[in-house]
Amino acid sequence: MSVKIDETLTVECETGNYHTFCPISCVSWLYQKIEDSFFLVVGTKTCGYFLQNALGVMIFAEPRYAMAELEEGDISAQLNDYEGLKKLCIRIRKDRDPSVIIWIGTCTTEIIKMDLEGMAPKLEWEIGIPILVARANGLDYAFTQGEDTVLAAMAHRCPEPEFSVRERKETIQNFLTFHSRKKEELGEYANHPSLVLFGSLPFNVASQLNLELKRQSIKVSGWLPAQKYTDLPSLGDGVYVCGVHPFLSRTATTLIRREKCQLIGAPFPIGPDGTRAWIEKICPVFGVEPQGLEEREKRIWEGLKDYLDLVHGKSVFFMGDNLLEVSLARFLIRCGMIVHEIGIPYMDKRYQAAELSLLQDTCKKMCVPIPRIVEKPDNSNQIRRIRELQPDLAITGMAHANPLEARGISTKWSVEFTFAQIHGFANARDVLELVTRPLRRQKNLEDLGRTTLVRK
Amino acid sequence: MKLAYWMYAGPAHIGTLRVASSFKNVHAIMHAPLGDDYFNVMRSMLERERDFTAATASIVDRHVLARGSQERVVDNILRKDQEEHPDLIILTPTCTSSILQEDLHNFVNRASIISHSNVIFADVDHYQVNEIQAADRTLEQVVRYYLDRCHRQEKWDQFLTDVPSVNIIGIFTLGFHNQHDCRELRRLLRDLDIEINQIIPEGGSVEDLQNLPKAWFNLIPYREVGLMTAVYLNKEYGMPYISIAPMGAVDMAEWIRQIQKNVNTLTLSSSNKRVDYEPYIDGQTRFVSQAAWFSRSIDCQNLTGKETVVFGDTTHAASITKILVQEMGIRVSCAGTYCKHDAEWFKEQIQGFCDEILITDDHAEVGDMIAHMEPSAIFGTQMERHIGKRLDIPCGVISAPVHIQNFPLGYRPFLGYEGTNQIADLIYNSFALGMEDHLLDIFGGHDTKEIISKSLSTDIGLIWNPESRLELSKIPRFAREKVERNTEKFARQKGIETITVEVMYAAKEALNT
Ligand code: SF4
């Protein structure tokens, strides 16, 4: 947290007229991640229409999410919200029997000041299913920040660690662990306080990161969120936490303030450089000397050679819509690319401090200037800049992708980075696979001419 | 409050945006929170639009909640005005603005004094109308605005065109096969020697709207959007309109006859050149459209009496029902629409063509009905296609809401004589697939579902420990086999006998490097 930001790294702020997904979209990946959950979005047709179209075919697979669609009577408070929600939740319990129902508050519930937080505990008690409230609306947040609001709400429900009081007294703790651990486990892990990682990742990716830390004999005692709501990790005084996504600043704050956890500030494990730096920040906290990381990172880079040749010297422009931008830009600069601009919806300089300083170091190492970081960008200004700069690649939302392609600018649809597996050593290749796809296609089509396909 | 998983028609602002972005040089500004500009994504993806969609948001955030939009909306309008010089800016309310109760009308008035563009406020309420109704209204509102203005300025030119001409009203962006239908209508009208005065809103210019009344009459191919405009033009300017959808051979003929009637009534006053389209109808029906011949062919005989269910918007569901019954001898067990606001018309149209009528916008009800009826084929929207998948019943998509597959690059009109061919193909293919499937089932012709795969010769000696087994089972099915094979290959190369989770990931890495 004490990393000082060099003066050369500045964050500009524009008008905030940019395109991004509504944060309620987080239900699409979170309902899949948390297997026994049910997400109820309390909103209007607008929210429903967005989810239905953004989720595409997933919608037909009987997803564990639904809309509680507010009608005119709900708005004018002629109808009783509590009774309305109760009826729907009882139906959900009957049809799906989830272990938790998560209410997603929307713009409308904010504006009419529907007291979701007040109603939830009452209803929870009445129907016997935990009810969490996450206010993931478009008034306050962008896209991936939706997950942040859900995880922050979930953090409150994590159980207290069993030995929280005694754990602080190390001698006793050592004694206890000696007896409670199985024999083979003893050799594998160092003796350290518990570490909980936060951020939703596909099962396989989470397990790769676990393994990565296991190589350093660090044991991950749990994840927020876990595969099941009923498996939430223990949190509390003396528990160390570390984030895997750059967009989880609220969750981080909650973990520190409310749950009294210790936050390990680290760059995010995206790209081999990020993954190594991430591990290197975690290890010393537990008094572990990282082993063989340099070798390992080197090997991964070597394996990426074919892609690196493709991207070397090419330029990128991030329009910004999902908060992964700084980490991705840092990785791409390390790959030898030139980044013109890093657009980003929201920049938490505290939570991203380590990532930002790694970005600076990387720029220094690669001898390139630090790219301008633009918070709350203005899309029409950005498009003007893109036209001037003519980058080799624009990472952008789908609203702009086709029009830019038609004007001869290669684009990569940014949302794919949120759904692809991009964390850890083993997935560095997947990031480059995405980044180079438009470049490779362009190569394939090069001889056809006609790169601009608009009139005038 | 109601539980909803899926909806047939979107929220009102989508309708307004579709009208706005169909016109040339019209910009829509949504009064909406960050994230409600998803329309741009849909247009860019589904229509594969090459141009930036002329819709932006004037963002409603915390700040606005506390203080009101104040200058922000006006500033955003003026900024667009300066940057892009649109002819018209439409301020579009969303569900959020519906409850904020700000005086957006007033903002529009203020902005319109300063801006070069015309500015209007779309008169649609989120809680009163849906996407379809809003589109209908907005189109009427825009047309009315320009005609009224023209009236006030007394630049009025009321004369009809010399030769018979029409306006086609209701072709627009994200409409089901609209672009192809439009091309087909152009061709038809050319054949009939009728000029097209204007096509709105798609590709039309608002500055030309003042010339709408110069056409002899209006064509409304889809009654969902355009009817309000036609009624308005009829009331104010005495313009006749034809609201039959020229879909299917029978309705095509009726449509052309009505055109004939209208042309002849209006010609009467000027000269005595009467038109007779009967020979054209006859020639087209017998030889250009294959549908009439097709319904006499042996193929179609096999379809006699087969049961189907039809569901969609009013225009398409009614037309397809009539085509199935009248032109192909297929039985429609149930026909339905989600356009509840136009239910009366729908019922009247298909009265006597089907056993049951279903008016609902709840897809679960449609699903239950289909499950109950067990038809041999369904003709519906994307939702019905998925219901069909689950129940193993083939489905032809005949109406919005749609997916990207319903924006084909090839020429696929539903209207006109070429449309009859396309529809016949669609119907026949749905059934033929269904029957083939059935026959294969009877004779056990399908591939066995289990995949027998052990590709490597030495499959002895490798043991997957319980953890790695579990890990493997978590991998999506389509990739599992490949992972299994790669891991085993890797293990063999390294002389590893027990496969652990570590080995699995080492294998993945080895593959990547
Ligand atoms: S921005 Fe607000 S109204 Fe729009 S979809 Fe998101 S939560 Fe719903």
Side-chain angles (χ1 to χ4, degrees), chain A residues 22 24 46-47 50 106-107 137-138, chain B residues 33-36 95-96:
Chain A
C22 171
I24 59 173
T46 307
C47 317
F50 163 67
T106 62
C107 299
N137 59 70
Chain B
L34 191 69
D36 278 357
C95 61
T96 307

Side-chain angles (χ1 to χ4, degrees), chain A residues 1-4 256 263-266 348-354:
Chain A
M1 287 286 103
S2 60
V3 182
K4 198 173 165 293
I256 302 168
L263 179 72
I264 303 173
D348 184 333
K349 282 194 192 163
R350 267 166 60 89
Y351 176 62
Q352 294 224 39

Side-chain angles (χ1 to χ4, degrees), chain A residues 69 110 140 207 296 407, chain B residues 2 50-51 62 471 509:
Chain A
E69 193 184 314
E110 286 298 311
D140 299 307
S207 132
R296 204 162 148 64
R407 282 159 185 76
Chain B
K2 65 175 189 202
R50 300 175 199 210
D51 280 315
R62 272 289 150 200
E471 187 84 2
E509 255 167 53

Side-chain angles (χ1 to χ4, degrees), chain A residues 402-418:
Chain A
N402 268 339
L404 284 173
E405 289 280 353
R407 282 159 185 76
I409 305 274
S410 285
T411 60
K412 180 77 229 130
W413 178 36
S414 53
V415 174
E416 283 190 66
F417 292 103
T418 10

